[in-house]
Amino acid sequence: MKRVIVIGGGVAGMQTALRLADDGCDPLILEKEGELGGKLRDWYVLFPTFTPASEVLAELKGRVIRRGIEVRTSAEVAAFTPHSVTLAGGETLACDAVVVATGFTLFDARIKEEYGYGIYDNVVTSADLERMFAEGRVAKSDGSRPRRIAFLHCVGSRDEKVCQSHCSRVCCITGVKQAMEMKRLFPEADVFNFYMDIRMFGPGYEEMYREAQQRCNIHFVRGRISEASPTIDGRIQIKAEDTLTGRPLKMSVDMLVLLVGMRANDSNARFAAQSGVERSPSGFLAPKSLFLDGVRSTAEGIFYAGTVTAPKSVGECVCEGYAAADAAAEYVKER
Amino acid sequence: MFAAVAWKWGSWLWRLSSDDRRRILKGIPSLATLQAVGETVSESLLHRRIFRVNPLLGYMHMSLAFGWFLLISVGWIETVSYMGFRWVPLQGHVFFKYFATGLPHKPVFEFTMDLLLLFVLSGVALAWGKRLYSRAMGMRRTTRHAWGDRIALSALWFIFPARLAAESLTAALYGGGGFLTGSLGAALDRVADPALLGHAATAAWWFYSCCLGLFFVGLPFSRYMHIFTEIPLIFLRRYRLRSGEKEGAFDRFQIEACSRCGICIDPCQLQQTLGIDDVQSVYFLRDRRYGRLRLATANNCLMCGRCQVKCPVGIDLNTLRLNSRDTMRNIPDERRYEYLKGLDRSQGAGKVGYFAGCMTLLTPRTLRAMERIFGAAGEEVWWADREGGVCCGRPLKLSGETDSARKMVQYNTDLFRKHGITTLVTSCPICLKVFREDYDLPGIEVLHHSEYILRLIRSGRLPVIYGAERYTYHDPCELGRGSGIYDEPRAVIEAVGELLEPASTREHALCCGSSVANTAISDGQQLRIAQAVVQELEATGAETIVTACPLCKKALVRGAKGEVRDLAEIVAAHIR
Amino acid sequence: MAAINFGYTISKPRAIDIDRNNLRKSDEILHEMPELQACIGCGSCTAVCTAGNLTSFNFRKVHTLVRRGEYEGAYEEMNKCMLCGKCRLVCPRGINTRGVAMLIKRKLGDF
Amino acid sequence: MMKRNSWNEYQKQIADDRYYYGRSCIRQNFFPGSEKAFIDILRGDLGKDLLDDPLHSSCTGIGYHSDIVPLETIMTVVARQFALMGEAGYENFVTSCITSFGVYTEVLATWAEFPETEERTRENLFKATGREFRKPASLAHTSDVMFHFRERIAAQAARRLVNAATGEPLKVVEHIGCHYAKIFPKSGIGGSEFPYVLAGMVEAWGGECVDYPERRHCCGFGFRNYLVQANRGYSIANSHKKLESMAPYKPDFIVANCPGCAMFLDKWQYAIAEMEGTTYGENGHGIPVLTYEEMAGLVLGYDPWELGMQMHQVDVEPLLDKMGVDYDPAAKYLGRNGKYIGKPASAVVNCSATDTVYDIRE
């Protein structure tokens, strides 16, 4: 049986491995963390259905285990070629093809220091908030209930000032979802979403957006927050332009949630240099073609699945797992 | 009771405007009085109009009203025949049977009275039935009443059964009675102990008199005030008194003449399609009468006029709703709309002026079609608002802002006069209605484009080809029920193709649901109404739905699978 | 204390200060017509507006300011509206814009 | 206290000795003791070599930011200063003015980005003056230098920024001029969002910085906003906004590193008090505004009148009392030679509720 190594054990990697097994290959998942699951492990519920992420993850992991797919955790990849993968420890594994499903890195909100993340209490990121939801303990740092919450879209997305020109796509709908969750937890609180554009690209997203506006009375203000500063009573004052009225706007909030974007992994540059694959200007790995070869790299025998090529939703990553596996299986059979 | 009624009428009459009073004085010695008497008989007693809407319901109302009236008059004659021709009060008969037990029987009277009682009782039975199961009466919904009404209604319901019981028991004790009371009495006599019968008779007579008393005391303050109010209303209407855009004393006659029969509920599309059942005219009039009308109720009406054509009392429901909105919303503000000063964006010159209206500017195909029609007919046209104009004012009026509407009216009137037109054509029925009713345009003939196009066709100025298409026509409310234009659009359609009539048509036509008169229902609700209307129109099998209102067109097109066209469009497509 | 005339005064801030604005009427308006929150600021209403064609009246801007608690001048501005209802026909979010115009006038005016 | 350490990421090279000093155009009018204090501290207390060259000129920054002086001209003027520095045998340029600092930084950045502009400047300078120049080895603002030696000054301090009576640290509002790091965030210590240059001094000398909402807001000078009288309402509105925002924190004084900022935060307090009767400090007084040199001078035990603090619009005596500075009230309005220099009329900003306010127009 042909061995195909899947680098990364997130949703895309797991689905790739499952499909490779279906296609008669012998997959091996290399996961750098201690367990499978990738970023989804830190997520609470998924848009637009509020499905628990753990439910999706448990199902996928269960399938991987039941299928007896070989998995190596805590295995960080240092380098790879189409026919070998070298681990950080120096061990080299031979294979017939490689599927790169290494995902993305969350943007470090501290870089946008004007928003005060890591400086002021009660400035949190969307990822922090997911963790708080999962732990069932959403509150201000002093334990009290927030009365006014602001979400800021596009932190580390579409921002040349931090070298992230691309759109991370899923943050808009995440912002809507989290705003609704906050409103559910704190019905008395006012929730404001500050956005540059609202990009509701997926099925059911627009409907969810509308529900957030009309039923949950979440205020959407078109304008990017320029800065956050502390107030004497421990709140955060934010400033933005309400571009739809052409007036500056300021208010103090109890919590500021930064919807952090998806950044390309730093390892992409290394992989590109070593393996001859190409990177797009955004830093994500570039597929051979955006139209006909979305899961193939520019190098023979190297395939992509998931957010390693661009920001994607969970469902899209899983779909790419199927496609990447089929493309890899086809390749190893012909070889 | 009579005092309360008299006081009410007196005060309303007193508060009538001097113009209205002059109309009454002029009307009294005229033929109108005789006609009013006739109408009073046919409506107040016989309920001819209800018969037309719903025979069963008509019978119910007639049996109650006319039956009771006869019962009172025949009873009075009976009393008189016993007591001789001395002064017998009208109500003298009520307890006659109770007090006059020892008198000789007059079988003719007893038979007649029993027959009448049966007549009334059949009506009561129907009323009970209507409450229990309104569908059997051909009404999907019946009125939900206020507490005062329920008491009066219950009293009314029990008056006649109580009278039957009382008279039967009396007949059982003392004999006599007709085929109904007599035979019932005889039956009772056979089965029951006379002492018990005696007590029962006393109780029944007491119950009867209580019900009667309760009813008459409650009458002026309940819906039964209509029994008496309809009569002066008929007279005043014959004397050409009308409700206007501001509330007036005459409105009170109209409001209290409402019997809350609930006939207005069924035709209401808000009820039919959306299940909204607390805003219909009956509830509106009730709330207004008792001074608890809310804006939400006043606003939630399409003002399509479907209920008005069905109203058995002929109450001017739309106008009353309009002037309620005026009371609630009108703000006289002289500084409003100052920007209208000196504005004139009109184009061209000609004796014929064309006013597209705001909505037609959103249906440019209609506008282009009118341009073609004018061109083909060789008409020189002055275009009032092709490059944006000022609203006709009707939407503001419909919203109750009548003073603001006056500003629009004044502006457009000045504009029309300034450009010296003799004919004003509009393709918007909303504009048409306000032009005809509220604009003072001497020397300018106002025409809806359907009327104008028909003239062109009939005079040979616009030669059209008869095609093979089949059309169905949707009557716009403001054009049909609002302005009485039903035939012209139909004649125009028939000149270019085959016309198929939908199930509800002409004065019973449905409203598209997007009426500017309603600011309460949501977009989704408007759409549902439009879909229901389209369903009926498409059921005709026609390929194209034709209407003659840009707003109706916009509304219907949302729900339609096939094409929706303005009248002008199909004509323009058939110009030879 | 007699103030000195410096030839200028302290300019009023242009910023909408949500902390200072009284949002009661805004809340009432949104409570009565929650659909107004569904506005996505596309501007169709303003583009099609009969009054906006003749004046600087901007329905979208006025109702957005009202939602932020900026009521000053909103009533006067809203009174430029002719209630013709074209905006309602074009709103992609199906907002009952005529209802909104009437509601704002009612809440901010002397009704 | 703020969890702030991001300033560490914005560090720059500051020379240790041998400075060529560029003065400000306007400071000597409003805070005449400050530049002298800087020279005295550097030469006297720290033993550094600093050249105060009388040949150097205005950088023309005010004209530049008011759209009067074109870019080519200002580049040539800057080049001339560098030429003078080279001729004097120095290569570390320090300037007393934030706008100058911004101008020098901008010009150097422009030359680096567009080398042809540097070439043209060389030609222009040579044509105009016959001089040639070398770019400085280091460019710093004088507050950067003071920040650089903050620990040494702390070691030599005669007193600290604490309330002498209670021992509590003084609450200080630090205000950084916009041109310090807002144009080129990497040119300032701590970057543009959380500049640390003044905060570092305050903390090193025992004070405590106040983090108030409008901390980053401009003082309102804005060049055209002040210079055109019709726009002055906007200028004062900016200071007004800052003062409103900081007042709840009850700061003991304001320290600024920009000539314009110190002046406007000081003088606009007077104007606001006269216009509206509003004051923002203790007991109905204004909040004293210090330059960082004055602050350093007080810490090192200089006499406040030697530092020129009698020239402030808002009286500094309440602060001096709080810090336990020994001063002679009678000497306040005596000039360097002991001659009476005149006394300003009383103003609302310096009167407590119990004071009598005189109308200065009388």
Side-chain angles (χ1 to χ4, degrees), chain D residues 132-145:
Chain D
E132 289 180 23
F133 74 95
R134 272 195 304 141
K135 285 188 275 189
S138 85
L139 171 72
H141 184 248
T142 46
S143 62
D144 292 331
V145 177

Side-chain angles (χ1 to χ4, degrees), chain A residues 193-249:
Chain A
N193 278 44
F194 288 87
Y195 67 94
M196 305 202 292
D197 287 312
I198 290 280
R199 300 183 163 190
M200 292 289 143
F201 62 92
Y205 294 9
E206 182 71 14
E207 291 84 341
M208 192 180 181
Y209 173 33
R210 201 197 162 108
E211 198 187 335
Q213 292 177 308
Q214 193 168 334
R215 200 179 57 73
C216 305
N217 192 28
I218 292 161
H219 306 266
F220 284 83
V221 183
R222 189 186 177 281
R224 194 177 175 118
I225 295 173
S226 64
E227 63 181 284
S229 10
T231 65
I232 194 159
D233 50 358
R235 305 176 88 205
I236 302 147
Q237 180 188 284
I238 53 176
K239 290 185 185 176
E241 188 194 351
D242 184 0
T243 59
L244 294 179
T245 62
R247 298 259 305 270
L249 178 144

Side-chain angles (χ1 to χ4, degrees), chain B residues 385-413:
Chain B
D385 60 347
R386 200 164 46 173
E387 294 305 311
V390 171
C391 175
C392 64
R394 177 97 179 134
L396 276 165
K397 186 180 169 181
L398 288 171
S399 308
E401 300 190 24
T402 37
D403 283 24
S404 293
R406 287 266 145 235
K407 299 260 168 83
M408 315 278 129
V409 172
Q410 195 53 53
Y411 168 83
N412 282 316
T413 304

Side-chain angles (χ1 to χ4, degrees), chain A residues 33-98:
Chain A
E33 300 293 334
E35 59 177 300
L36 289 175
K39 296 285 188 299
L40 207 55
R41 288 191 299 144
D42 300 329
W43 238 245
Y44 178 53
V45 294
L46 303 177
F47 54 78
T49 51
F50 296 98
T51 306
S54 56
E55 207 172 272
V56 174
L57 206 52
E59 173 64 25
L60 212 49
K61 273 162 91 171
R63 284 184 202 170
V64 169
I65 293 163
R66 283 198 296 278
R67 209 49 210 267
I69 285 166
E70 195 182 338
V71 178
R72 285 183 64 172
T73 52
S74 307
E76 185 154 12
V77 171
F80 64 84
T81 67
H83 308 303
S84 73
V85 174
T86 309
L87 297 182
E91 188 186 350
T92 300
L93 306 165
C95 58
D96 298 292
V98 170

Side-chain angles (χ1 to χ4, degrees), chain D residues 5-160:
Chain D
N5 47 20
S6 65
W7 71 271
N8 284 315
E9 290 159 26
Y10 294 94
Q11 287 294 338
K12 65 177 183 182
Q13 214 54 42
I14 299 165
D16 287 323
D17 202 351
R18 293 187 53 74
Y19 306 102
Y20 183 85
Y21 188 47
R23 283 187 182 251
S24 151
C25 304
I26 61 173
R27 290 188 87 197
Q28 289 148 83
N29 291 318
F30 305 115
F31 301 93
S34 290
E35 291 194 332
K36 181 175 181 305
F38 180 76
I39 295 169
D40 290 349
I41 291 169
L42 243 66
R43 287 180 182 155
D45 298 88
L46 302 170
K48 300 294 176 188
D49 175 15
L50 176 132
L51 179 69
D52 182 18
D53 185 358
L55 291 177
H56 92 86
S57 70
S58 162
C59 75
T60 67
I62 291 177
Y64 176 59
H65 286 291
S66 304
D67 283 352
I68 296 165
V69 174
L71 180 63
E72 282 211 345
T73 309
I74 197 166
M75 280 186 178
T76 313
V77 172
V78 166
R80 179 178 169 275
Q81 324 277 47
F82 291 157
L84 291 174
M85 174 175 72
E87 287 162 20
Y90 287 80
E91 56 180 6
N92 302 321
F93 200 95
V94 294
T95 173
S96 160
C97 169
I98 287 291
T99 292
S100 296
F101 176 70
V103 164
Y104 293 127
T105 311
E106 183 181 342
V107 167
L108 288 173
T110 310
W111 288 347
E113 198 79 26
F114 307 100
E116 69 278 10
T117 59
E118 185 183 338
E119 280 317 302
R120 209 169 322 125
T121 308
R122 287 187 186 281
E123 287 166 28
N124 289 342
L125 179 68
F126 191 80
K127 257 188 268 173
T129 67
R131 289 189 150 98
E132 289 180 23
F133 74 95
R134 272 195 304 141
K135 285 188 275 189
S138 85
L139 171 72
H141 184 248
T142 46
S143 62
D144 292 331
V145 177
M146 202 71 95
F147 173 84
H148 191 57
F149 296 119
R150 69 191 185 285
E151 298 301 341
R152 270 191 65 188
I153 292 170
Q156 286 169 242
R159 61 178 74 82
R160 291 164 57 76

Side-chain angles (χ1 to χ4, degrees), chain B residues 295 329 331 336-337 339 343 345 358-359 362 388-389 391 395-396 399 401 516 518-519 521-523 526, chain C residues 48 50-51 53-55 75 79-86 88-90 94 96 98-99 102 105-106 111:
Chain B
L295 193 56
R329 287 203 53 96
I331 281 281
R336 277 194 198 180
Y337 304 108
Y339 64 83
L343 207 67
R345 292 194 180 178
C358 303
M359 295 301 177
L362 269 180
C391 175
L396 276 165
S399 308
E401 300 190 24
V516 283
N518 191 314
T519 47
I521 60 171
S522 73
D523 186 61
Q526 288 188 333
Chain C
V48 83
T50 302
N53 194 17
L54 307 170
T55 69
Y75 175 70
N79 274 335
K80 290 180 181 167
C81 167
M82 304 190 199
L83 285 180
C84 73
K86 275 170 88 180
R88 188 170 184 186
L89 290 183
V90 297
N96 177 357
R98 275 184 89 232
M102 287 165 71
K105 288 208 280 186
R106 178 152 61 83
F111 291 102

Side-chain angles (χ1 to χ4, degrees), chain D residues 61-353:
Chain D
I62 291 177
Y64 176 59
H65 286 291
S66 304
D67 283 352
I68 296 165
V69 174
L71 180 63
E72 282 211 345
T73 309
I74 197 166
M75 280 186 178
T76 313
V77 172
V78 166
R80 179 178 169 275
Q81 324 277 47
F82 291 157
L84 291 174
M85 174 175 72
E87 287 162 20
Y90 287 80
E91 56 180 6
N92 302 321
F93 200 95
V94 294
T95 173
S96 160
C97 169
I98 287 291
T99 292
S100 296
F101 176 70
V103 164
Y104 293 127
T105 311
E106 183 181 342
V107 167
L108 288 173
T110 310
W111 288 347
E113 198 79 26
F114 307 100
E116 69 278 10
T117 59
E118 185 183 338
E119 280 317 302
R120 209 169 322 125
T121 308
R122 287 187 186 281
E123 287 166 28
N124 289 342
L125 179 68
F126 191 80
K127 257 188 268 173
T129 67
R131 289 189 150 98
E132 289 180 23
F133 74 95
R134 272 195 304 141
K135 285 188 275 189
S138 85
L139 171 72
H141 184 248
T142 46
S143 62
D144 292 331
V145 177
M146 202 71 95
F147 173 84
H148 191 57
F149 296 119
R150 69 191 185 285
E151 298 301 341
R152 270 191 65 188
I153 292 170
Q156 286 169 242
R159 61 178 74 82
R160 291 164 57 76
L161 298 175
V162 294
N163 186 318
T166 63
E168 292 279 310
L170 292 180
K171 277 182 285 190
V172 186
V173 160
E174 44 86 273
H175 177 82
I176 309 291
C178 294
H179 294 161
Y180 176 69
K182 278 184 192 159
I183 310 173
F184 296 94
K186 294 220 158 68
S187 69
I189 290 160
S192 62
E193 296 299 330
F194 297 99
Y196 194 62
V197 59
L198 293 179
M201 290 183 225
V202 170
E203 285 171 14
W205 303 337
E208 191 181 287
C209 279
V210 171
D211 205 359
Y212 64 107
E214 300 296 348
R215 182 173 180 166
R216 295 172 197 86
H217 202 80
C218 170
C219 69
F221 181 12
F223 297 87
R224 271 163 299 189
N225 282 324
Y226 174 74
L227 297 170
V228 179
Q229 198 200 13
N231 294 344
R232 254 172 229 176
Y234 296 110
S235 175
I236 192 168
N238 280 282
S239 289
H240 184 260
K241 186 180 194 173
K242 281 187 78 75
L243 292 162
E244 291 278 341
S245 173
M246 71 174 75
Y249 295 82
K250 301 191 184 344
D252 294 303
F253 69 94
I254 299 167
V255 60
N257 70 343
C258 170
C261 302
M263 174 174 121
F264 282 96
L265 288 172
D266 190 35
K267 306 288 190 272
W268 280 146
Q269 286 197 62
Y270 160 80
I272 291 166
E274 297 298 331
M275 282 178 179
E276 297 191 330
T278 315
T279 53
Y280 297 97
E282 277 177 312
N283 304 323
H285 291 264
I287 306 170
V289 182
L290 271 57
T291 66
Y292 58 94
E293 292 102 328
E294 289 170 346
M295 177 171 75
L298 287 180
V299 166
L300 287 167
Y302 282 57
D303 180 75
W305 311 142
E306 279 295 307
L307 290 168
M309 292 175 82
Q310 63 275 61
M311 303 305 281
H312 288 205
Q313 189 73 59
V314 179
D315 285 346
V316 292
E317 284 90 335
L319 172 69
L320 300 178
D321 295 339
K322 210 178 280 173
M323 285 177 70
V325 176
D326 211 13
Y327 64 94
D328 177 7
K332 185 172 180 183
Y333 296 110
L334 295 180
R336 294 182 67 79
N337 48 14
K339 210 174 93 185
Y340 180 61
I341 57 171
K343 190 179 172 206
S346 70
V348 176
V349 74
N350 288 325
C351 296
S352 57

